[in-house]
C-alpha cells in the first residue's frame, strides 16, 4: 500500500509521517508548507508542494504514486480565525475535502482516515465524552469538522471506501525537539511564550464549576496521536469496511491551573498566573472516553502530561535559539 498524507509536514502531520514510515508503511506527503516545514520529513519521503484543493494535482499525484489510502490532516484549525472568517474555513476545510474525496473516488482509493476534532461536541454537560455524545459545535471550525465527518461517511458509502474519523482532544508535546509545535495557539506554547518574555501566564476564568475553578481538558501526546493514526490506517489496510469514528484522548482531565503548575515544575520557570475574564465558548470540562479506540484500534495513550510538557519545552528551547 501507499498512503498519501495531506498536511504531512505540519506539527501533527510530521509525527504521523514519521510513525508510519518507521513502521514500514510507504507514504507520500502533500503539503502547501503554509504551516509545515519540509525539514520535518524523514529522508526519502516524497513531498509534493501544493493544495489538497487542486484536482489536477491530486489526479496526477494519486496516479503517479499508486495511492491506495489517504490520511487527511490538512486543514485550517484556529478557532478565533474561524469566527472571523467562516466562509474561508468552510471553503478550505469542507470544500477542499470534497475535492479530495472526488479525486480519491476517481482514482479508486479504498481507504480514508480523516483528522477530526473534539470541537464537534461543543460544550457538552457530561463527565466523559463518548462517541455517542450529541455533537453541537459552538464555532465555525468545529462545524467544518462535523460537516467533514458527514462528507467522509457519505462519500465512503457512495464509493465503497472504508473510512475512519479520529476526534482528537488537546494535542501537546513532541516526539523529537525538531518536530515541536512552533505556533503559539495552544496552552503549552502560549505559557512558554509568556514565560520566555518574563510575563505571567494567563488563565481565562477561574470561576467555572470545576475543582479549582479553571477549565478542565484532556491532553494527548502528539506521539500517541501519531500511533493512533498508524493503528487506524493498519485497521483499514487489514480489510475493515464501513465507517468508524473514535475519540483520541487519555480519558484524564487536567485543569488549566494544574497545567500551568506542571509547566513551572518542568521548566523551572515559575510565575504566578494572571486571571482574566472568561473567553466566549470555553467549556468548563471536555474529557474523552477512550474505550472505543482501545476496542477497535487496539490503541491507548502511553504518555502523560509531564512527558508532553518536557518534550515540548525541549522543542521550544531549540526553536527559540535557532
Amino acid at each position: 500500500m501507499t498512503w498519501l498524507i495531506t498536511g504531512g509536514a505540519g506539527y501533527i502531520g510530521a509525527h504521523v509521517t514519521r510513525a508510519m514510515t518507521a513502521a514500514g508503511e510507504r507514504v507520500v506527503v502533500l503539503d502547501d508548507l503554509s504551516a509545515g516545514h519540509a525539514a520535518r520529513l524523514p529522508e526519502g519521503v516524497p513531498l509534493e508542494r501544493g493544495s489538497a484543493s487542486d484536482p489536477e494535482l491530486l489526479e496526477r499525484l494519486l496516479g503517479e504514486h499508486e495511492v491506495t489510502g489517504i490520511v487527511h490532516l490538512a486543514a485550517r484549525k484556529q478557532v478565533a480565525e474561524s469566527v472571523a472568517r467562516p466562509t474561508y474555513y468552510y471553503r478550505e476545510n469542507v470544500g477542499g475535502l470534497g475535492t479530495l474525496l472526488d479525486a480519491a473516488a476517481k482514482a479508486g482509493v479504498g481507504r480514508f482516515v480523516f483528522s477530526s476534532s473534539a470541537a464537534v461536541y461543543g460544550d457538552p454537560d457530561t463527565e466523559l465524552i463518548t462517541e455517542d455524545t450529541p455533537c453541537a459545535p459552538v464555532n465555525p471550525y468545529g462545524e467544518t469538522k462535523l460537516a467533514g465527518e458527514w462528507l467522509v461517511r457519505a462519500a465512503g458509502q457512495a464509493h465503497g471506501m472504508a473510512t475512519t474519523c479520529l476526534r482528537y482532544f488537546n494535542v501537546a508535546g513532541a516526539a523529537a525537539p525538531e518536530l515541536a509545535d512552533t505556533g503559539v495557539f495552544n496552552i503549552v506554547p502560549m505559557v512558554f511564550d509568556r514565560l520566555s518574555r518574563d510575563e505571567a501566564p494567563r488563565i481565562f476564568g477561574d470561576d467555572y464549576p470545576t475543582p479549582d475553578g479553571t477549565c478542565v481538558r484532556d491532553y494527548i501526546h502528539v506521539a500517541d496521536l501519531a500511533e493512533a493514526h498508524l493503528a487506524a490506517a493498519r485497521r483499514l489496510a487489514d480489510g475493515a469496511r464501513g465507517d468508524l469514528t473514535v475519540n483520541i484522548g487519555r480519558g484524564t482531565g487536567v485543569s488549566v491551573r494544574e497545567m500551568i503548575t506542571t509547566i513551572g515544575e518542568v521548566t523551572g520557570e515559575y510565575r504566578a498566573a494572571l486571571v482574566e475574564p472568561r473567553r466566549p465558548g470555553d467549556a468548563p470540562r471536555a474529557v474523552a472516553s477512550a474505550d472505543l479506540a482501545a476496542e477497535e484500534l487496539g490503541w491507548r495513550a502511553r504518555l502523560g502530561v509531564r512527558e508532553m510538557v518536557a518534550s515540548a519545552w525541549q522543542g521550544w528551547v531549540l526553536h527559540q535559539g535557532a
Side-chain angles (χ1 to χ4, degrees), residues 183-204:
V184 186
F185 303 109
N186 301 315
I187 182 172
V188 174
M190 286 174 68
V191 174
F192 290 168
D193 182 58
R194 300 282 291 188
L195 294 176
S196 297
R197 292 188 281 116
D198 199 25
E199 296 177 1
R202 292 183 294 178
I203 293 174
F204 296 99

Side-chain angles (χ1 to χ4, degrees), residues 7-45:
Y11 165 53
I12 295 173
H15 281 87
V16 174
T17 299
R18 287 203 179 191
M20 293 185 67
T21 302
E25 300 292 338
R26 289 182 57 191
V27 304
V28 55
V29 167
L30 173 62
D31 200 303
D32 65 8
L33 301 185
S34 60
H37 303 282
R40 286 173 167 157
L41 298 179
E43 185 176 352
V45 171

Side-chain angles (χ1 to χ4, degrees), residues 11 40 77-78 170-174 179-202 204 219-220 222 259-260 263-264 267 279 305 308-317 319-320:
Y11 165 53
R40 286 173 167 157
K77 61 175 186 176
Q78 301 307 323
N170 298 63
V171 185
L179 297 184
D181 190 0
T182 57
V184 186
F185 303 109
N186 301 315
I187 182 172
V188 174
M190 286 174 68
V191 174
F192 290 168
D193 182 58
R194 300 282 291 188
L195 294 176
S196 297
R197 292 188 281 116
D198 199 25
E199 296 177 1
R202 292 183 294 178
F204 296 99
Y219 295 92
I220 178 75
V222 67
M259 178 61 84
I260 291 174
I263 291 172
T267 65
R279 296 179 302 188
V305 170
M308 295 178 213
V309 172
S311 61
W313 179 245
Q314 289 178 335
W316 179 265
V317 171
H319 289 294
Q320 292 302 303

